[in-house]
Amino acid sequence: MATHERSQQIHTRAQQLMPGGVNSPVRAFKAVGGDPVVIAYGKGARLWDADGNEYIDYVASWGPLILGHAHPAVVSVLQKAAERGTSFGATTEVEVELARMVCDCVPSIERVRFVNSGTEATMSALRVARAFTGRDKILKFEGCYHGHSDALLAKAGSGIATLGLPDSAGVPAAFTNETLLAPFNDRAAVEEVFEKHAGTIAALIVEPVPANMGLVLPQPGFLQFLRDITAREGALLIFDEVITGFRLAAGGAQFYYGVIPDLTCLGKIIGGGLPVGAYGGREDVMSMVAPSGPVYQAGTLSGNPMAMAAGIVTLRMLANDGVYRGLDAMGAWLAGALRDAARAAGAPVTITQLGSMLTVFFAGEAPADYASAKRADTERYGRWFRAMLGAGVYLPPAQFEAMFISLAHMQEDLERTAEAAKAAFAASR
Ligand code: HOZ
């Protein structure tokens, strides 16, 4: 029987020093119960906690680790980069190289600005959109999460959904007055918002494949509808591809679905596991950004050479033939095996999957929006999570997140996961 004594001791100390003992809320396991395990190290698709327990990891640092933990190519490039100096606050050639790769791969990006997190990327993209259009309002979807900047914490997913918060305290109403909301996949609601606020909406921001209310798929034609209506109404379309960028395809969801936004936000994979974010898009829009234009946005560690180096080597590995086909096949196999396991155990679950992302919803049917995602049985998810953890499988500690498969996962890992899931589904009842 695995013990978690050392994890518990560390977490107790952490609680005396950091709010909730964590630096990001969902890590506290509040949604699934039990104490969080404290991670000691990772290798490939595996993690080890402070007590030496081993797990097959499907969190992958919430998406960035598409090559797995401590990939030798990433480790080697980071060692070399560290020896040359970890930050300069000045331009380096590696930034230019990663910018080239991003512009080449992501269809909408002609110019890109690197920042340090997805939150910074979305916040800055909105500022640019407002400056470019001379309008103030933005439209977002309920349950989509675009980081924790004030304007975007309206009916957001991820930790906000997990903790059951309507919004965040500390955000003045005036800051979200300009934020309009619609249910995802609901064309009529989007039409209505544009009609009611005609000529005032600067941008519509969307996770093209929302992964922060659990994985919810866009209905056929929905993204093209968003492209058409924003173009018609003179608003910019912003794809938040912090999760889907280089995850669904090198060109992200926009390449996968063939719908090209005006601006794109990136993060996670493009930093190879180091802190990073980026926003980019049409040249005429991006030329609004200082020093080319009047929109101010800056950062001491932006374009950090360590993050750029890790990003370059990661993107190079992803350019190999068949990488995404392999990830898609693993995703489809695991989703199928988990469905079979749930059926055998009589557990009423629906599994949403696209490429290497999936969510096991404890719900009768696949959610189309936030309201339906929220109907999932989070208590049961918690029981399933705890049983899986006990069996050595590390899942997102919240129903409203996605599992990620990496190139380091082997068929044997997936089979062990499916085997563990059978008993865990039975335990979840
Ligand atoms: N908001 C992240 C998941 N969508 C959680 C980040 C973290 O806790 O590290």
Side-chain angles (χ1 to χ4, degrees):
M1 179 78 185
T3 66
H4 294 102
E5 242 170 77
R6 185 133 174 77
S7 273
Q8 279 156 2
Q9 284 163 6
I10 297 170
H11 185 56
T12 302
R13 259 195 290 141
Q15 283 174 301
Q16 288 151 10
L17 297 164
M18 304 186 290
V22 291
N23 283 309
S24 191
V26 74
R27 299 177 193 181
F29 280 29
K30 292 257 189 250
V32 287
D35 287 327
V37 289
V38 172
I39 304 303
Y41 61 97
K43 183 75 195 149
R46 304 292 168 112
L47 281 179
W48 284 263
D49 70 17
D51 293 276
N53 302 306
E54 183 179 335
Y55 306 93
I56 303 172
D57 179 26
Y58 291 99
V59 176
S61 189
W62 303 94
L65 299 179
I66 197 162
L67 303 184
H69 294 274
H71 189 284
V74 176
V75 172
S76 151
V77 90
L78 283 176
Q79 281 167 341
K80 287 190 194 114
E83 279 165 15
R84 295 165 68 94
T86 57
S87 178
F88 307 107
T91 302
T92 57
E93 198 171 353
V94 279
E95 287 167 83
V96 186
E97 194 176 339
L98 187 59
R100 177 77 272 150
M101 294 172 95
V102 167
C103 291
D104 282 350
C105 290
V106 184
S108 66
I109 301 189
E110 293 172 354
R111 296 281 184 280
V112 65
R113 166 65 59 88
F114 291 112
V115 290
N116 297 297
S117 66
T119 292
E120 269 186 74
T122 54
M123 181 181 83
S124 309
L126 288 183
R127 187 177 299 155
V128 172
R130 284 172 160 148
F132 185 79
T133 57
R135 300 172 176 185
D136 286 343
K137 296 204 184 296
I138 55 154
L139 172 57
K140 79 174 278 290
F141 290 102
E142 295 166 3
C144 280
Y145 177 73
H146 305 289
H148 60 88
S149 68
D150 286 341
L152 288 165
L153 279 181
K155 286 213 176 161
S158 191
I160 295 271
T162 297
L163 299 176
L165 302 172
D167 297 303
S168 170
V171 177
F175 289 22
T176 44
N177 280 350
E178 306 294 352
T179 307
L180 308 167
L181 288 160
F184 189 71
N185 274 327
D186 187 337
R187 296 180 191 212
V190 174
E191 289 273 10
E192 203 178 303
V193 172
F194 272 106
E195 209 171 289
K196 190 160 167 214
H197 300 276
T200 64
I201 300 176
L204 184 160
I205 185 165
V206 62
E207 293 179 76
V209 184
N212 284 294
M213 46 178 146
L215 186 73
V216 170
L217 304 187
Q219 285 166 359
F222 184 66
L223 297 175
Q224 186 58 50
F225 160 76
L226 298 181
R227 176 64 286 179
D228 295 342
I229 195 166
T230 45
R232 187 186 84 198
E233 299 294 328
L236 297 189
L237 179 62
I238 305 176
F239 274 8
D240 176 348
E241 297 228 42
V242 169
I243 289 179
T244 50
F246 293 91
R247 162 69 59 186
L248 269 186
Q254 55 197 267
F255 175 83
Y256 190 90
Y257 288 102
V259 177
I260 312 302
D262 301 295
L263 289 173
T264 298
C265 301
L266 296 170
K268 299 194 191 269
I269 289 175
I270 61 159
L274 273 77
V276 83
Y279 63 101
R282 276 166 42 193
E283 197 275 330
D284 59 334
V285 179
M286 287 302 288
S287 67
M288 297 296 290
V289 180
S292 297
V295 176
Y296 194 71
Q297 182 274 306
T300 298
L301 288 163
S302 294
N304 175 263
M306 304 276 289
M308 299 293 106
I312 290 167
V313 75
T314 301
L315 266 45
R316 273 198 199 127
M317 304 284 295
L318 293 174
N320 289 332
D321 263 3
V323 160
Y324 289 100
R325 265 198 310 282
L327 285 167
D328 291 357
M330 284 197 279
W333 191 91
L334 185 60
L338 291 176
R339 274 184 203 114
D340 291 346
R343 206 172 302 118
V349 304
T350 303
I351 296 169
T352 51
Q353 175 254 333
L354 191 64
S356 53
M357 309 185 289
L358 57 155
T359 294
V360 176
F361 276 105
F362 283 75
E365 55 190 53
D369 57 17
Y370 192 39
S372 45
K374 294 282 275 183
R375 286 200 283 274
D377 186 337
T378 52
E379 294 291 325
R380 278 183 107 146
Y381 182 87
R383 290 198 289 275
W384 185 64
F385 169 89
R386 291 196 300 276
M388 289 295 271
L389 192 72
V393 182
Y394 187 74
L395 299 169
Q399 171 72 93
F400 304 114
E401 303 284 353
M403 292 165 63
F404 297 104
I405 298 172
S406 75
L407 289 167
H409 283 88
M410 299 289 143
Q411 181 60 24
E412 184 214 334
D413 297 318
L414 307 186
E415 283 167 14
R416 272 185 54 183
T417 303
E419 196 53 42
K422 277 187 201 155
F425 279 129
S428 76
R429 284 199 305 235

